[in-house]
Amino acid sequence: MKRVAVILVACGLAADGGAFERIAQADHWDFSGHFDVETEDGIRAIIDHIQLTGANTLAWRLNGGSSPRYWSREENALDMAPAFNPVRIPDGRAVQGRIRLFGGGAGVDAYKFALEELGRRKLGRCAYWPYEENHHFTSKVGAWNLDHPQFWCMTRDGKPWMGRASIAFPEVRAHKLRLLDEILAYGPDSIYIEAWRTGGWTVADEYVKPNLDAWRAKYPGEEIPKPNDPRWIALVAETQHAFFRDVRKRLDASGRKVRFLFGVFGVSKTEDPLWSKKAIDWRRLVRENVIDGIVIASVKVDPKRPLESTKDLYELVAKDKGRCQLFCPVSAYTFQKSGIANYAEWLGVSKGEATRKLLELAREVKADGILMECVDYRNYTPEMCDALTTIP
């Protein structure tokens, strides 16, 4: 009863805009083995489960690769035409490969209903839009990308890669912005984009005609550079930045305030993989008022001084955040080696105590809130939930 009361208080404060925000990154597809995710009751059960963490904003995942998890005229309608696409290898798993998450005559439009339910509960409604167009499987490549191989990415030695349609092409940018229009039509309060999940895509896959033409115009007669050439990264960055500026314009043109949160990963004092691998300059996004909030998804921790090194890296981001909000990770997700379980091991404490220390650290650096990455079924243990809901 005490935990429920704390959650309700936290949610009420969030609705008034005065609370320390607890953002839960929610992937309802991952609940498919536990709840009937094709039904309204199943979606309610997912939100109930996520709220055990004290979350007052849910970042609802919208896509796996470029396959939407809502009813999309831009994407899903295309997939209805052919009986079988030989380019796409179906997901053969017994549950996950057969569920329908976007309505259109089968199941419920999960995104639509989730936002409605979040509104009824007075929780923050965030659209989580990973910057990926595959999820390491061809089954997760969208119909539009499959229908437009002329826009597929290309390696330096000229091999096409179907895992992504390059945003260097104006047609691809226009397609993604039409998707954004669909996403915004559902009425989210925020949109969250992070570039950790890109299905393996990096600047090494951007040797497409628009980028090569731009290189030859800027550096006539010079050899096509390798992907780690700073000049190549800077060139690719221009089209990435142009897209995010277009996202900002779309949000501003929506007629209401929609917050733009952007996720950075692998933060360290010696390298910036968001720049070197993805050609995205988050500090420029801050300077040009493109984004409203910075979400730290992961940092490169020194295991010998885990909390001290983490604080140093949080402050490294904070000093350049400008007017943006700042969110620090308190995550069960350990793939990037900065999750709760990692800190528990380094500090020699329980997961509950590690959760408490990370939450207190976020408060100490004056963050506006936290990100709980991948709130899946029972991966936040009762002791972790207790820590999350008993610290105001």
Side-chain angles (χ1 to χ4, degrees):
M1 182 63 69
K2 179 181 178 183
R3 184 191 300 171
V4 172
V6 173
I7 292 172
L8 292 174
V9 170
C11 293
L13 286 172
D16 294 335
F20 184 76
E21 194 169 1
R22 291 164 162 83
I23 303 174
Q25 191 171 300
D27 187 342
H28 78 294
W29 186 82
D30 284 342
F31 284 86
S32 57
H34 308 284
F35 304 120
D36 187 350
V37 301
E38 293 179 323
T39 67
E40 293 181 357
D41 284 345
I43 292 170
R44 289 191 193 97
I46 291 170
I47 296 173
D48 287 342
H49 187 80
I50 290 171
Q51 278 196 267
L52 293 175
T53 65
N56 47 31
T57 292
L58 266 67
W60 195 266
R61 184 166 179 167
L62 300 175
N63 56 298
S66 51
S67 181
R69 297 178 182 178
Y70 63 91
W71 178 246
S72 164
R73 264 211 192 270
E74 185 72 11
E75 279 282 352
N76 300 122
L78 295 174
D79 243 351
M80 300 300 107
F84 176 71
N85 189 324
V87 181
R88 185 200 301 273
I89 300 173
D91 187 334
R93 284 172 286 183
V95 176
Q96 290 90 340
R98 290 165 171 77
I99 54 178
R100 298 286 292 275
L101 304 177
F102 46 76
V108 62
D109 190 327
Y111 174 43
K112 178 177 184 294
F113 182 77
L115 288 197
E116 292 171 352
E117 183 64 19
L118 294 174
R120 283 188 284 270
R121 300 184 189 207
K122 301 189 184 305
L123 299 175
R125 302 174 301 166
C126 179
Y128 168 40
W129 197 25
Y131 199 52
E132 67 176 16
E133 293 180 16
N134 76 87
H135 200 67
H136 303 285
F137 301 97
T138 58
S139 63
K140 302 299 181 289
V141 177
W144 192 93
N145 283 21
L146 292 176
D147 282 352
H148 295 85
Q150 68 270 35
F151 302 135
W152 288 355
C153 281
M154 191 83 67
T155 61
R156 187 170 179 264
D157 58 358
K159 294 177 183 175
W161 183 56
M162 66 178 291
R164 190 176 184 87
S166 174
I167 214 162
F169 291 100
E171 296 90 341
V172 175
R173 291 200 297 276
H175 161 65
K176 291 186 77 70
L177 290 170
R178 288 193 297 271
L179 288 170
L180 178 59
D181 289 339
E182 293 181 341
I183 291 166
L184 292 175
Y186 283 82
D189 308 315
S190 308
I191 186 164
Y192 172 43
I193 299 177
E194 50 88 9
W196 160 249
R197 289 170 178 81
T198 59
W201 165 82
T202 71
V203 294
D205 304 301
E206 282 296 324
Y207 290 87
V208 294
K209 188 176 186 301
N211 287 336
L212 293 176
D213 288 348
W215 173 266
R216 292 177 181 120
K218 192 167 186 177
Y219 304 103
E222 291 211 26
E223 182 184 6
I224 301 301
K226 293 182 179 180
N228 62 351
D229 188 315
R231 297 171 300 170
W232 179 251
I233 297 169
L235 186 145
V236 173
E238 288 306 311
T239 51
Q240 306 307 313
H241 189 74
F243 171 69
F244 294 120
R245 288 180 61 187
D246 285 343
V247 169
R248 175 81 265 168
K249 291 175 184 176
R250 276 303 209 275
L251 300 184
D252 291 343
S254 68
R256 56 195 180 81
K257 175 62 178 174
V258 182
R259 183 177 53 164
F260 187 179
L261 303 178
F262 192 82
V264 301
F265 69 93
V267 176
S268 80
K269 292 183 176 180
T270 58
E271 59 180 338
D272 181 2
L274 188 63
W275 174 253
S276 62
K277 300 297 184 183
K278 319 292 185 179
I280 299 171
D281 185 347
W282 68 265
R283 290 177 174 84
R284 184 180 176 189
L285 294 174
V286 170
R287 290 195 305 272
E288 297 184 12
N289 296 320
V290 174
I291 58 177
D292 302 302
I294 300 164
V295 178
I296 301 174
S298 64
V299 296
K300 294 291 186 181
V301 185
D302 178 356
K304 295 179 180 178
R305 42 190 302 273
L307 291 180
E308 296 85 355
S309 63
T310 298
K311 182 181 179 183
D312 290 345
L313 295 172
Y314 288 176
E315 291 177 338
L316 184 68
V317 175
K319 74 179 180 64
D320 291 329
K321 75 180 185 68
R323 61 172 185 80
C324 287
Q325 292 180 297
L326 177 67
F327 298 89
C328 297
V330 182
S331 295
Y333 186 70
T334 59
F335 196 87
Q336 297 187 69
K337 307 301 182 190
S338 60
I340 293 168
N342 301 117
Y343 285 93
E345 179 182 352
W346 295 326
L347 294 168
V349 299
S350 69
K351 291 181 181 178
E353 184 60 21
T355 302
R356 191 178 308 278
K357 289 181 180 297
L358 287 170
L359 189 53
E360 290 171 345
L361 182 57
R363 289 286 201 180
E364 189 177 340
V365 299
K366 296 182 172 54
D368 297 276
I370 60 170
L371 173 77
M372 295 175 283
E373 188 170 1
C374 295
V375 183
D376 293 338
Y377 186 70
R378 291 185 175 177
N379 66 336
Y380 284 76
T381 64
E383 64 170 354
M384 291 157 67
C385 291
D386 283 339
L388 286 162
T389 56
T390 55
I391 296 179

